[in-house]
Amino acid sequence: METAIIPVDPAMPVTPITPTDNNELLSSEVQPNKRRRKKSIVWDHFTIEKVGDGCTRACCMQCKKSFAYITGSKLAGTSHLKRHISMGICPVSRQKNQQTPEAKTGNSTYEPRKRYRAASGFANIPFNQEHCNHELAKMIIMHDYPLNIVEHPGFVDFARTLQPQFNMVSFNSIQGDCVSIYLKEKQRLLNFISEIPGRVSLTLDLWTSDQTVGYVFLTGHFIDADWNLRRCLLNVVMVPSPDSEGALQQAVVACISDWNLENRLFALTLDQSFSNENINGSLRALFSVRNPYMFHGQLLVGNCFARVISLLAQEALWTLGQSVKKIRDSVKFVKTSDTHEETFIHLREQLKVPSMKDIFIDDQTKWNTTYDMLVAACELKQVFLCLETSIPDYKIAPSMDEWKQVEILCTYLKLFFDAVNILTAPTYPTASAFYHEVSKVQLELTHAAMSNDPFISNLIKPLKEKFDRYWSDCFLVLASAVVMDPRFKMKLVEFSFTRVYGDDAGIWIKTVDDGIHELYLEYIAQALPPPETFVEGGNASISHEGNGGISHEGNADISHEENGAIKHEGNVGINHEGNGGISHEGNGGINHEGNGGINHEGNGAISHEGNGGIIPEENGGIIAEGNGGIISKGNGGIIPKTEPPEEGSSQEVSHQGVAHQEVHHQEIHHEEVAPQEVPPQDHLITIGDGLSDFEVYISEISGGQPMKSELDQYLEESLLPRISDFDILGWWNLNKTKYPTLSRMAADILSIPFSTVGPDSVFDTQRKNMDNYRSSLRPVTLEALICAKDWLQYGVSTDSSSFVKMEF
């Protein structure tokens, strides 16, 4: 509709009037000279009339009523004009609407037109049914919604309202979509774990169910390539008999197979419920087979730290059960009645109790809430003591002695609370952090058990006995972890052990020191590159294979497989043909030519000392101790441990230590020859110099200079300042070039888990129970839903572009 032109005095300049929808100031200087179309829909129902100089009014076409529009330079706007039409104020328009009911449906010409603006950025997005299905599956996984939510009428109607084109999927389809997300995320995580440089430690946590079957949750802990501590759920295995030995072995073996962890396990931490001799023994045997080189399978932590502390807290609360019950009932008496609570608050104000805590009723399934309730009640005990005089019905007040005993109890509950509180942090702590808490608990319980106060000693002695068993089970692993902290190293172990063990501390300190060095030697054995080939004349040639392995061919065939293990093959005997002498030539090679080297006296028998080792008598060559193994002493030798050879050989060689060994050949034959000159040898690379194989290797790569092991060098360096927010993993990452082997060992040790539960279960007094709905699901679906939720929550993103559809 064109703008109405109002007749004016010909002598006056003509200025077109353009109605607008706002109250902006108008002036002839800013008005355009050409006419513009009106924008507001009110001009379908109004005309404008000039009623005087500088005054223009809007006139309704129906009822002919006029309204202010322009007065001088001010606009009245169009809002009041819209209301006149849309709200039925116009009598003519209202009468027509009453006579024509269909006008209410939107067909009336008098109803204002509504203009809709399409939302920018979304109008052109095409509907994608498959993408919606994928997001629905993610929602179900993330929020633990039941799979049959797709069959709930309310949810179906809601989804259809949001998007009429969406077709709700079936139960089987959404189940398949959830499993597909799980499989895709599992492959991503599998690729990620396969690229980490170190090993993986596992925790086993047991859930129960009303169907009496168990569910073993296996969680992996490891350091990734960027030196971040990772913790992710790997498997949920349903076991029909949780107490059986085979069930737990089956769960561990399934996890190893699923995630390609063969020979990559480092430590295994169990739930408290698994801690019986038979189950621990069977798992330790399995662990030794699957992980033969890491402390020979000894890195088995039998108890979860959080579970142990929870059991101690529950036992302490049970010991004072009557006193705790009186306080709990007193709190209930106040909190379950508005009148009683008002009286309690009034007394508190009168007594001016300085405590800022409020009393509350505890949750008896979480012992920390009971501890908090007792602490708050103890701080307000004066109010409870006066409550009896104000409320005659209150007859359950604890006595002063009971209050005192509960206060002592809270002292040790606080010790337990602080110890496990590190597990509630957003990030999982490194193994070294546990040492501080565990050793503190051990020390405090030791002192309390010897208290002169009979109440304290009687309360703590049973707790100390239980905690001693946990300490003896894992102190070596804990101490090894704190040694990897450059702020403490062995110094903290020496200090804390002295306080705990007194005069016997030296024995335990040596145990830790020997254990650390033994573990380091095993890492050296794995990392040691193969030396140059040894060539031995006659029937006993030696070739080096694999990671430092030695293969003896002929009559003395010994094959070193994997990382230094010795496998005896052939006749196991040693037969020196020809001159029988040993001449060191070249780069440490052994060539049996001439009669130089070792002179065997008598009938050629070899004297074995220690536990069956071989000691060449001359210049202190290789010293082999243990059960037939070769122990290269010095800074970082190799300790391949082997079993004694099978029986049935013809000569028995006596050992002064543990075992004796038989060889097929009764004597070592030496042919009589004239003495020959032996060419001068490089003393840095000959075994006759008294150097071990590893020392020979170190001498070669260091230019012949003596070289300390990384571990000894690390231990001898000064301690770092004790910074509270010290990033221990960041420090090892910065020093991994300086300590290439030791840093790998530190990463594996620091990732050892000491708790099998998550942050939300640290204070639980009852085991987690699988609900009936989840128990009814197929095992593969249950594992998919639980594991996928963990991966999606903790950083594993899902890319819907490669979504695989599955049907059940």
Tab-separated table of all heavy atoms in Angstrom, residues 499-518:
chain	number	residue	atom	x	y	z
A	499	ARG	N	61.316	-44.703	62.388
A	499	ARG	CA	60.267	-44.382	63.358
A	499	ARG	C	59.308	-45.549	63.552
A	499	ARG	O	58.800	-45.754	64.662
A	499	ARG	CB	59.492	-43.144	62.893
A	499	ARG	CG	60.337	-41.886	62.804
A	499	ARG	CD	59.503	-40.707	62.338
A	499	ARG	NE	58.465	-40.360	63.296
A	499	ARG	CZ	57.510	-39.464	63.060
A	499	ARG	NH1	57.463	-38.847	61.888
A	499	ARG	NH2	56.605	-39.191	63.972
A	500	VAL	N	59.080	-46.320	62.500
A	500	VAL	CA	58.125	-47.427	62.597
A	500	VAL	C	58.773	-48.669	63.208
A	500	VAL	O	58.201	-49.307	64.096
A	500	VAL	CB	57.534	-47.752	61.214
A	500	VAL	CG1	56.683	-49.013	61.273
A	500	VAL	CG2	56.699	-46.585	60.698
A	501	TYR	N	59.991	-49.004	62.745
A	501	TYR	CA	60.609	-50.272	63.135
A	501	TYR	C	61.680	-50.136	64.207
A	501	TYR	O	62.133	-51.155	64.751
A	501	TYR	CB	61.230	-50.948	61.904
A	501	TYR	CG	60.219	-51.354	60.863
A	501	TYR	CD1	60.172	-50.727	59.628
A	501	TYR	CD2	59.300	-52.363	61.109
A	501	TYR	CE1	59.249	-51.095	58.663
A	501	TYR	CE2	58.377	-52.747	60.157
A	501	TYR	CZ	58.358	-52.101	58.932
A	501	TYR	OH	57.437	-52.469	57.995
A	502	GLY	N	62.116	-48.927	64.494
A	502	GLY	CA	63.129	-48.744	65.530
A	502	GLY	C	64.459	-49.377	65.149
A	502	GLY	O	64.997	-49.122	64.065
A	503	ASP	N	64.999	-50.240	66.026
A	503	ASP	CA	66.307	-50.844	65.796
A	503	ASP	C	66.307	-51.823	64.627
A	503	ASP	O	67.370	-52.130	64.075
A	503	ASP	CB	66.770	-51.570	67.068
A	503	ASP	CG	66.997	-50.612	68.228
A	503	ASP	OD1	67.211	-49.411	67.967
A	503	ASP	OD2	66.935	-51.062	69.396
A	504	ASP	N	65.164	-52.324	64.253
A	504	ASP	CA	65.084	-53.279	63.136
A	504	ASP	C	64.924	-52.592	61.780
A	504	ASP	O	64.744	-53.279	60.760
A	504	ASP	CB	63.901	-54.227	63.346
A	504	ASP	CG	64.074	-55.081	64.594
A	504	ASP	OD1	65.233	-55.358	64.965
A	504	ASP	OD2	63.044	-55.455	65.198
A	505	ALA	N	64.990	-51.285	61.758
A	505	ALA	CA	64.731	-50.553	60.516
A	505	ALA	C	65.725	-50.909	59.420
A	505	ALA	O	65.384	-50.930	58.233
A	505	ALA	CB	64.749	-49.049	60.776
A	506	GLY	N	66.978	-51.189	59.788
A	506	GLY	CA	68.002	-51.456	58.778
A	506	GLY	C	67.660	-52.621	57.878
A	506	GLY	O	67.931	-52.602	56.669
A	507	ILE	N	67.066	-53.670	58.464
A	507	ILE	CA	66.696	-54.849	57.658
A	507	ILE	C	65.665	-54.478	56.611
A	507	ILE	O	65.765	-54.868	55.441
A	507	ILE	CB	66.154	-55.957	58.584
A	507	ILE	CG1	67.214	-56.353	59.617
A	507	ILE	CG2	65.687	-57.157	57.773
A	507	ILE	CD1	66.713	-57.331	60.655
A	508	TRP	N	64.656	-53.692	57.025
A	508	TRP	CA	63.579	-53.330	56.100
A	508	TRP	C	64.064	-52.326	55.056
A	508	TRP	O	63.638	-52.378	53.897
A	508	TRP	CB	62.407	-52.753	56.887
A	508	TRP	CG	61.819	-53.728	57.835
A	508	TRP	CD1	62.048	-53.817	59.177
A	508	TRP	CD2	60.924	-54.804	57.513
A	508	TRP	NE1	61.348	-54.863	59.723
A	508	TRP	CE2	60.653	-55.485	58.722
A	508	TRP	CE3	60.336	-55.247	56.346
A	508	TRP	CZ2	59.803	-56.587	58.779
A	508	TRP	CZ3	59.491	-56.343	56.393
A	508	TRP	CH2	59.230	-57.000	57.598
A	509	ILE	N	64.959	-51.435	55.443
A	509	ILE	CA	65.511	-50.475	54.478
A	509	ILE	C	66.314	-51.211	53.414
A	509	ILE	O	66.225	-50.900	52.217
A	509	ILE	CB	66.380	-49.433	55.208
A	509	ILE	CG1	65.504	-48.559	56.112
A	509	ILE	CG2	67.143	-48.573	54.213
A	509	ILE	CD1	66.284	-47.635	57.030
A	510	LYS	N	67.112	-52.200	53.832
A	510	LYS	CA	67.897	-52.979	52.869
A	510	LYS	C	66.971	-53.752	51.924
A	510	LYS	O	67.272	-53.919	50.737
A	510	LYS	CB	68.831	-53.934	53.597
A	510	LYS	CG	69.797	-54.674	52.664
A	510	LYS	CD	70.744	-55.554	53.442
A	510	LYS	CE	71.780	-56.171	52.506
A	510	LYS	NZ	71.173	-56.952	51.430
A	511	THR	N	65.851	-54.234	52.453
A	511	THR	CA	64.895	-54.945	51.602
A	511	THR	C	64.396	-54.055	50.473
A	511	THR	O	64.296	-54.477	49.315
A	511	THR	CB	63.708	-55.438	52.443
A	511	THR	OG1	64.177	-56.298	53.487
A	511	THR	CG2	62.706	-56.194	51.583
A	512	VAL	N	64.091	-52.817	50.801
A	512	VAL	CA	63.629	-51.870	49.784
A	512	VAL	C	64.739	-51.564	48.789
A	512	VAL	O	64.525	-51.567	47.562
A	512	VAL	CB	63.125	-50.579	50.445
A	512	VAL	CG1	62.774	-49.526	49.390
A	512	VAL	CG2	61.923	-50.856	51.325
A	513	ASP	N	65.945	-51.302	49.292
A	513	ASP	CA	67.065	-50.970	48.414
A	513	ASP	C	67.385	-52.120	47.468
A	513	ASP	O	67.588	-51.916	46.259
A	513	ASP	CB	68.289	-50.620	49.263
A	513	ASP	CG	69.448	-50.119	48.413
A	513	ASP	OD1	69.361	-49.008	47.884
A	513	ASP	OD2	70.445	-50.869	48.268
A	514	ASP	N	67.410	-53.350	47.998
A	514	ASP	CA	67.673	-54.503	47.137
A	514	ASP	C	66.558	-54.694	46.115
A	514	ASP	O	66.811	-55.041	44.954
A	514	ASP	CB	67.809	-55.761	47.990
A	514	ASP	CG	69.071	-55.751	48.852
A	514	ASP	OD1	69.947	-54.905	48.595
A	514	ASP	OD2	69.162	-56.573	49.785
A	515	GLY	N	65.312	-54.491	46.544
A	515	GLY	CA	64.199	-54.661	45.623
A	515	GLY	C	64.235	-53.669	44.479
A	515	GLY	O	63.986	-54.021	43.318
A	516	ILE	N	64.561	-52.423	44.779
A	516	ILE	CA	64.654	-51.398	43.730
A	516	ILE	C	65.752	-51.748	42.736
A	516	ILE	O	65.569	-51.650	41.516
A	516	ILE	CB	64.921	-50.016	44.369
A	516	ILE	CG1	63.651	-49.474	45.010
A	516	ILE	CG2	65.433	-49.035	43.328
A	516	ILE	CD1	62.610	-49.022	44.022
A	517	HIS	N	66.895	-52.174	43.230
A	517	HIS	CA	67.994	-52.515	42.331
A	517	HIS	C	67.674	-53.757	41.511
A	517	HIS	O	68.027	-53.834	40.325
A	517	HIS	CB	69.281	-52.724	43.138
A	517	HIS	CG	69.974	-51.445	43.505
A	517	HIS	ND1	69.594	-50.672	44.592
A	517	HIS	CD2	71.016	-50.787	42.923
A	517	HIS	CE1	70.361	-49.607	44.667
A	517	HIS	NE2	71.242	-49.644	43.662
A	518	GLU	N	67.017	-54.727	42.114
A	518	GLU	CA	66.651	-55.924	41.360
A	518	GLU	C	65.680	-55.587	40.237
A	518	GLU	O	65.819	-56.061	39.106
A	518	GLU	CB	66.036	-56.967	42.292
A	518	GLU	CG	65.645	-58.254	41.568
A	518	GLU	CD	65.003	-59.261	42.493
A	518	GLU	OE1	64.983	-59.024	43.715
A	518	GLU	OE2	64.502	-60.290	41.994
